[in-house]
Amino acid sequence: MSAKFAAKAPIPAILEGTLADIAIASIRLIPDAIVVADMRERDAPLIWVSEQFSAITGYTAAEAIGKNCRYLQGSDRLQSELGPIREALASGTSATVTMRNYRKDGTLFWNELTLTPYSRTEGVVEYYVGLMRDVTAAKRSLDQAVDDARLDRLTNLPNRYSFLEDVEKIDLPDNSRLLVVKIDIAELHNINSTYGYAAGDEIICKTASRLSSLSPDALGRIGNNEFAAAFRVPTAAAEEKTLAQLTAALRPPFTTPDAIINIRYALGYTVGDLGPVPGMLSQQAGQALHESKDDPHRAPRRFDEAAERASRHRSRLTAELQQAVRDENFVYHYQPQFDLLTGKIIGCEALIRWDHPVFGLQGPDTFIGVAEETGLIVDIERAGIRKVAAFAAELNASLAEPLHFSVNVSPLEIVRGDLVGLIEDVVAETGIKPAWLTFELTESLLTDSSESVIAIFRRLRELGVGLAIDDFGTGYSSLRSIDRFPISEIKIDRSFTQDLRTSQTKRILVEAIVALGKALSARVVAEGIETVEQKEELKEMGCLFGQGYLFSHPLPAEELVALTRTPPNTVVRNG
């Protein structure tokens, strides 16, 4: 049967009363209340309510009929949900809202109200039928779920996301700024291990209580052992006072059933306006907290914008270095070393450069520090040793007298890498003779190296690889321990070479280094030779080898090849 035919199908007279009874019985079965308002009358009074109306509202039918149903709102007449109801009544359409209503005894209940217009005359709404559903229990469950999602269960404080929301809602008066502090309970894991998790939880809760006692404008537990608080501070004096109160509140020891525990806190903070970037103050306080946690004394740290810029730069540089390692963007320039007596080139120092895709060639001062901090130096140097070895093997194959190639090696490479295994692989891959390679080491290794590191040096020397102490005399050298190291070369720092004519002390030190080299059967190479006078003085003092701008600046590989064809005693000036 079609919908059109069914709508027009007449109801037999014998069933009209029966259907009415069935409808009334059905209404009694549902838990919702039904109300009917007469829109033809002024103020649209209720003209009928179902039995469930009394169960939901506490009002009898006699008390409700004749009144507009807005009386259920009590004095709560500014609810936003009333807007859709007014629009539906004005346009003669349906609407569903959930709003606050009040029972006869004054208690609140949440009413999900669906309004439907009814008319027997086309174009005229004569009645509105309302379906009332008590959704108080469901609303409370939803609200509890929302609270559970935004609150930390242990302390009942806002969690990290809710704390950020609360901070953004703070109203800052003119000339007032916001102090945001992050606090870390130091070594909480040790407390949990020693006294149990119950003691750790108690300390967390007591910390929350102490912070709450300061009445911050926002407070949250943002991590397992981290809290954050925000305070409005109109002046610098108020800022200092608030910080003093906070540290004082956290200072007393905690008493637990098993012990009295002294807690140290790391603390980072920042002061400023909320600004256009949400969460910026919180991020700044977090950066300061990180610095405080790195401090052995956990001293409070204020956010330093310059330090933050440096940190961002390090992060960007680290990412770019990682990509550079993958793309093999590192090249070497070679500074020649000469025999000061004959003028012959006898070797060169391989100096790393970063061929940056945007900024071009970058010297080691730009990136070596970050590479060492991040451990990328190991990958960079291992690839570099292979590259230098391959070039050295190719160049020396065409020379009557091979050149020695010096490569700087970081302490991290020595400790974490496998230099011996690397050299064995490089020799097999390139055909280089180990004696053509020299590793330049920092002078601090003379005092810091363990027996295992010295064993690595000895194995390298057994393979034939040279070992040079770079910049000798400027760092932490110890003449008492230098004989433990199987060094083959000592390099005099350029600062000694530059001051030979003006510093008697440095002349004496250079003479001592030359004598030490002879005693250890180690070649002595002077760095930073820039004048003929310096070269002649070094020769007179017994230093037979050197490098510097007098002879050549560091050269790309192809220019070094050309230099090897240059007659001895020819001064090469580049740059």
Side-chain angles (χ1 to χ4, degrees), residues 64-264:
I65 290 174
K67 296 179 181 178
N68 185 289
C69 61
R70 74 170 67 91
Y71 82 95
L72 293 174
Q73 300 163 22
S75 59
D76 196 357
R77 299 292 177 84
L78 299 178
Q79 302 181 53
S80 60
E81 291 78 9
L82 296 176
I85 292 178
R86 295 190 186 100
E87 292 175 6
L89 295 178
S91 60
T93 57
S94 298
T96 299
V97 298
T98 300
M99 58 189 302
R100 295 182 296 274
N101 279 177
Y102 296 87
R103 299 184 178 91
K104 184 177 180 179
D105 62 6
T107 58
L108 179 145
F109 73 95
W110 287 91
N111 177 19
E112 183 183 271
L113 176 64
T114 299
L115 295 175
T116 303
Y118 175 79
S119 178
R120 290 176 298 185
T121 303
E122 186 173 352
V124 178
V125 176
E126 298 175 311
Y127 304 96
Y128 257 94
V129 179
L131 180 68
M132 295 174 55
R133 175 172 296 174
D134 184 352
V135 294
T136 305
K139 184 69 167 58
R140 287 174 178 169
S141 296
L142 178 61
D143 290 346
Q144 184 62 51
V146 171
D147 286 343
D148 289 344
R150 75 180 307 274
L151 297 180
D152 168 56
R153 296 181 66 180
L154 179 61
T155 63
N156 210 37
L157 291 178
N159 58 25
R160 181 165 69 96
Y161 301 104
S162 300
F163 171 78
L164 292 175
E165 292 174 356
D166 292 346
V167 168
E168 294 302 319
K169 295 175 184 175
I170 295 175
D171 182 25
L172 280 179
D174 293 340
N175 301 322
S176 185
R177 299 194 300 168
L178 199 65
L179 167 66
V180 177
V181 187
K182 287 192 174 180
I183 306 104
D184 176 88
I185 305 175
E187 300 178 352
L188 180 64
H189 61 283
N190 289 339
I191 295 171
N192 290 332
S193 299
T194 304
Y195 301 103
Y197 284 93
D201 288 349
E202 184 175 355
I203 287 173
I204 290 172
C205 291
K206 287 184 176 179
T207 298
S209 178
R210 291 182 181 185
L211 293 173
S212 297
S213 69
L214 301 174
S215 300
D217 294 283
L219 177 63
R221 184 186 178 201
I222 60 173
N224 181 51
N225 53 337
E226 286 188 15
F227 293 85
F231 304 83
R232 284 177 287 192
V233 286
T235 63
E239 172 192 334
E240 294 177 4
K241 180 180 178 181
T242 301
L243 287 169
Q245 291 173 335
L246 192 151
T247 54
L250 296 175
R251 188 176 299 120
F254 291 87
T255 302
T256 70
D258 299 319
I260 296 177
I261 304 174
N262 286 288
I263 300 294
R264 290 197 305 164

Side-chain angles (χ1 to χ4, degrees), residues 329-337 347-355 361-365 367-368 380-381 384-385 387-388 391 404-409 438 440 470-471 491 494 527-528 547-549 552-557 560:
N329 289 145
F330 297 97
V331 298
Y332 280 84
H333 285 189
Y334 300 89
Q335 184 163 37
Q337 297 172 342
C348 55
E349 180 180 357
L351 301 168
I352 193 168
R353 302 287 188 267
W354 178 10
D355 190 6
L361 285 180
Q362 301 294 305
D365 290 346
F367 61 90
I368 287 296
I380 293 172
E381 288 184 342
I385 290 170
K387 184 173 292 188
V388 171
F391 173 66
H404 296 273
F405 285 75
S406 298
V407 183
N408 288 282
V409 178
T438 295
E440 294 196 6
D470 195 16
D471 301 331
K491 301 193 73 174
R494 62 179 292 108
E527 297 180 302
Q547 65 188 73
Y549 292 170
S552 175
H553 284 244
L555 302 172
L560 177 67

